[in-house]
């Protein structure tokens, strides 16, 4: 039986740590850390994610503000909002909920955020810092995966990690983090994608297999070597025969769990870690941890 790595439990501990960090910050500064969230349009999933983020903030004592703009908002309006927040010292962290409506250029918007307030870690400056090993904001999902490995006593150093997926928000930054010459890294990383000719050839050699492809249950027992650690980043809503729906990961849990030494569930695995790391990044922003490097 595999060890079930509970993101719910680890994230709860992290939230408690952030809560105590916030209390110390408030005592010293006389104010709360602040996170502003921008939601453009009425995508129901985005609405839900933003509400969860605000709820998480409230739980640990971070002040959050949700600014809603209509789906018809222009790119200039979005940029103006970000400029105001960049200049406001009470706004420590800025998050623009993605996806944006199609007429708004996501890259332009993300580049507009002050890198010192970029708690999602999507600004090219922070992405570049991650690549060359300088301190900066790390996107919440890869940061969460590394943190959950660390807190579960799984050291990637010297191990072969296969990451299935190369998106800018999950696969690529995670591969960079794990390959870095530092604690929590030092792994030999293979990044797989749709151009990979024989996926199983690579995943079967992995001591740690991370699935971040967005394809429901694509990783089966045919892809996993006995004793591997399996981290499932995927969150996919699938239809059931009775007309309802459920959320599954990218890993076929029932066939992989008996083989793995440790595995994350979906839900309750990487998802809660992502939410917790946003709080951690917001505290970094409030404390100005990366400020000197960002100016
Ligand atoms: N748990 C969380 O907090 C969290 C956070 C973010 C995302 N997610 C979930 O994680 C999954 C990935 O998200 P994402 O934003 O990274 O998705 P994405 O932008 O769609 O990227 C998916 C990546 O997987 C690769 N891929 C797709 N099908 C593949 C296949 N059959 N074989 C090999 N590689 C394949 C794609 O390759 P190409 O580059 O060649 O197209 C791409 O690089 C989704 O289910 C998403 O909902 C979860």
């Amino acid at each position: 039986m595999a060890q079930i790595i509970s993101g719910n439990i680890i994230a709860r501990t992290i939230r408690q740590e952030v809560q105590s960090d916030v209390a110390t910050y408030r005592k010293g500064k006389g104010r709360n850390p602040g996170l502003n969230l921008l939601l453009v349009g009425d995508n129901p999933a985005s609405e839900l994610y933003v509400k969860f983020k605000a709820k998480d903030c409230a739980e640990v004592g971070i002040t959050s503000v949700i600014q809603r703009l209509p789906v018809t908002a222009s790119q200039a309006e979005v940029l103006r909002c970000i400029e105001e927040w960049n200049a406001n010292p009470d706004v420590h962290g800025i998050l623009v909920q993605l996806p944006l409506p199609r007429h708004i250029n996501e890259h332009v918007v993300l580049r507009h955020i002050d890198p010192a307030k970029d708690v999602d870690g999507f600004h090219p400056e922070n992405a570049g810092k991650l690549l060359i090993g300088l301190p900066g904001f790390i996107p919440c999902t890869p940061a969460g995966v590394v943190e959950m490995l660390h807190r579960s006593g799984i050291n990637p150093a010297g191990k072969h990690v296969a990451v299935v997926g190369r998106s800018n928000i999950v696969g690529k930054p995670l591969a960079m983090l794990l390959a870095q010459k530092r604690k929590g890294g030092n792994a030999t990383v293979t990044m797989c994608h749709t151009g990979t000719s024989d996926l199983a050839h690579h995943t079967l050699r992995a001591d740690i297999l991370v699935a971040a492809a967005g394809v429901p249950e694509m990783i089966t027992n045919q892809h996993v070597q006995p004793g591997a650690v399996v981290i499932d980043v995927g969150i996919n809503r699938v239809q059931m025969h009775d007309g309802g729906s459920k959320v599954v990961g990218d890993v076929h849990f029932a066939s992989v769990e008996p083989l793995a030494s440790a595995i994350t569930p979906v839900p309750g695995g990487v998802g809660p870690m992502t939410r917790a790391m946003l709080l951690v990044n917001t505290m970094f922003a409030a404390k100005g941890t990366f400020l000197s490097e960002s100016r």
Side-chain angles (χ1 to χ4, degrees):
M1 292 291 278
Q3 172 199 350
I4 306 296
I5 304 175
S6 168
N8 281 333
I9 292 175
I10 302 171
R12 190 182 312 142
T13 306
I14 293 173
R15 284 198 301 276
Q16 285 162 354
E17 291 167 5
V18 174
Q19 191 169 25
S20 118
D21 224 9
V22 169
T24 309
Y25 179 89
R26 191 184 304 118
K27 226 178 262 169
K29 303 272 183 188
R31 58 180 178 157
N32 288 347
L35 173 66
N36 279 28
L37 304 139
L38 179 59
L39 178 61
V40 188
D42 44 18
N43 179 329
S46 296
E47 179 71 42
L48 199 66
Y49 289 143
V50 162
K51 274 190 185 145
F52 281 150
K53 288 167 188 175
K55 179 174 160 283
D56 291 343
C57 285
E59 192 186 315
V60 299
I62 292 172
T63 300
S64 70
V65 172
I66 302 177
Q67 171 74 54
R68 289 180 173 77
L69 290 178
V71 71
T72 51
S74 67
Q75 182 164 303
E77 280 174 86
V78 170
L79 297 183
R80 230 176 359 256
C81 176
I82 292 172
E83 273 161 25
E84 268 174 37
W85 291 351
N86 280 345
N88 183 345
D90 290 331
V91 179
H92 300 108
I94 297 175
L95 184 146
V96 176
Q97 185 63 44
L98 302 177
L100 288 166
R102 291 168 67 92
H103 65 279
I104 299 177
N105 185 323
E106 179 183 304
H107 295 291
V108 171
V109 169
L110 294 179
R111 267 208 311 274
H112 223 70
I113 298 172
D114 180 343
K117 299 189 178 191
D118 172 36
V119 287
D120 252 344
F122 295 160
H123 190 288
E125 186 173 311
N126 283 313
K129 283 179 171 174
L130 172 57
L131 184 69
I132 61 176
L134 284 176
F137 288 102
I138 295 167
C140 300
T141 302
V145 170
V146 169
E147 195 63 29
M148 87 195 297
L149 288 173
H150 173 64
R151 291 182 187 238
S152 307
I154 298 161
N155 184 359
K159 305 269 169 49
H160 176 221
V161 182
V163 178
V164 185
R166 59 174 165 191
S167 73
N168 289 336
I169 62 169
V170 187
K172 265 188 227 163
L174 181 59
M176 289 306 125
L177 273 174
L178 290 168
Q180 248 159 35
K181 194 170 182 174
R182 66 173 192 106
K183 212 171 148 219
N186 258 327
T188 304
V189 181
T190 303
M191 195 161 35
C192 306
H193 41 76
T194 57
T196 301
S197 57
D198 183 355
L199 183 66
H201 168 76
H202 300 284
T203 59
L204 279 168
R205 291 187 301 117
D207 305 303
I208 301 173
L209 172 57
V210 184
V215 181
E217 299 180 325
M218 67 169 279
I219 299 295
T220 69
N221 52 3
Q222 302 300 304
H223 296 91
V224 179
Q225 74 162 318
V229 172
V230 180
I231 307 290
D232 190 354
V233 180
I235 299 180
N236 312 290
R237 184 160 287 284
V238 294
Q239 296 301 312
M240 294 194 300
H241 296 305
D242 65 3
S245 69
K246 64 172 179 173
V247 170
V248 299
D250 288 355
V251 174
H252 188 267
F253 190 89
S255 75
V256 171
E257 188 267 343
L259 268 181
S261 61
I263 188 167
T264 61
V266 176
V270 176
M273 293 301 298
T274 299
R275 287 170 61 177
M277 296 317 286
L278 176 63
L279 304 174
V280 171
N281 276 354
T282 303
M283 271 319 294
F284 282 146
K287 291 193 279 192
T289 308
F290 307 127
L291 203 59
S292 55
E293 293 93 4
S294 298
R295 303 284 176 198

